[in-house]
Amino acid sequence: MTKHTLTIEETPRSEDVQRLAQELTAHALPYTQVPGFAPLGVFLKDEHGALVGGVWGQVNWNWLHIALVWVSEALRGAGYGRRLMEAMEQTAKERGCTYAHLDTFSFQARPFYEALGYEVFGTLDDYPSGHQKFFMQKALP
């Protein structure tokens, strides 16, 4: 009889995470006809090559999921965030995406995303305590 071991890992191996994505893609492929979970990143670096901003996510079928967005505090308000998001969305469109989604918190960048055309489609209250988490989406024209 085969024994199975359940492990809890704070820093899972990238190969294990990749295997999850591959197996889920294989399961979904008969329905979607297109593989999913393709990583995509757009990064902003200074003249020394240091990271000062970026957007990271995944192309999943015809949707772009934006998971991480950050611009150095010293550069905020100068249009870099908009440029990063536009580059991410354009690249996703070139890969077949027709929609994008992301989440943000009440203490973060909801107005920024709304200015880019994202709309709230769901909210979790008290996440974290005393705040809200907003789920946002947008059609990619």
Side-chain angles (χ1 to χ4, degrees):
M1 177 182 224
T2 303
K3 290 180 83 173
H4 297 89
T5 303
L6 186 130
T7 64
I8 298 173
E9 303 174 22
E10 293 184 18
T11 54
R13 296 178 335 142
S14 61
E15 307 88 52
D16 291 341
V17 175
Q18 184 65 26
R19 174 80 188 270
L20 293 177
Q22 289 170 346
E23 294 298 332
L24 285 170
T25 291
H27 174 75
L29 205 52
Y31 305 97
T32 64
Q33 305 300 309
V34 180
F37 305 106
L40 179 61
V42 177
F43 300 99
L44 178 65
K45 297 182 179 181
D46 69 12
E47 66 272 11
H48 305 291
L51 185 69
V52 294
V55 179
W56 183 86
Q58 292 183 328
V59 170
N60 209 12
W61 307 299
N62 63 319
W63 280 82
L64 167 64
H65 172 232
I66 297 172
L68 301 171
V69 179
W70 171 76
V71 174
S72 168
E73 231 175 293
L75 299 178
R76 292 180 192 164
Y80 291 109
R82 176 177 287 278
R83 288 175 49 199
L84 286 162
M85 289 291 291
E86 288 171 349
M88 184 74 156
E89 291 171 359
Q90 180 59 42
T91 304
K93 285 172 30 178
E94 292 166 4
R95 294 183 180 187
C97 290
T98 52
Y99 301 95
H101 70 100
L102 55 83
D103 59 73
T104 191
F105 295 95
S106 54
F107 54 86
Q108 286 183 326
R110 178 179 170 180
F112 168 72
Y113 297 122
E114 288 174 330
L116 294 174
Y118 286 83
E119 297 177 343
V120 173
F121 70 87
T123 304
L124 288 176
D125 293 324
D126 216 27
Y127 187 156
S129 185
H131 299 280
Q132 294 176 304
K133 182 174 187 172
F134 301 108
F135 298 90
M136 305 180 82
Q137 67 182 4
K138 150 182 186 173
L140 299 177

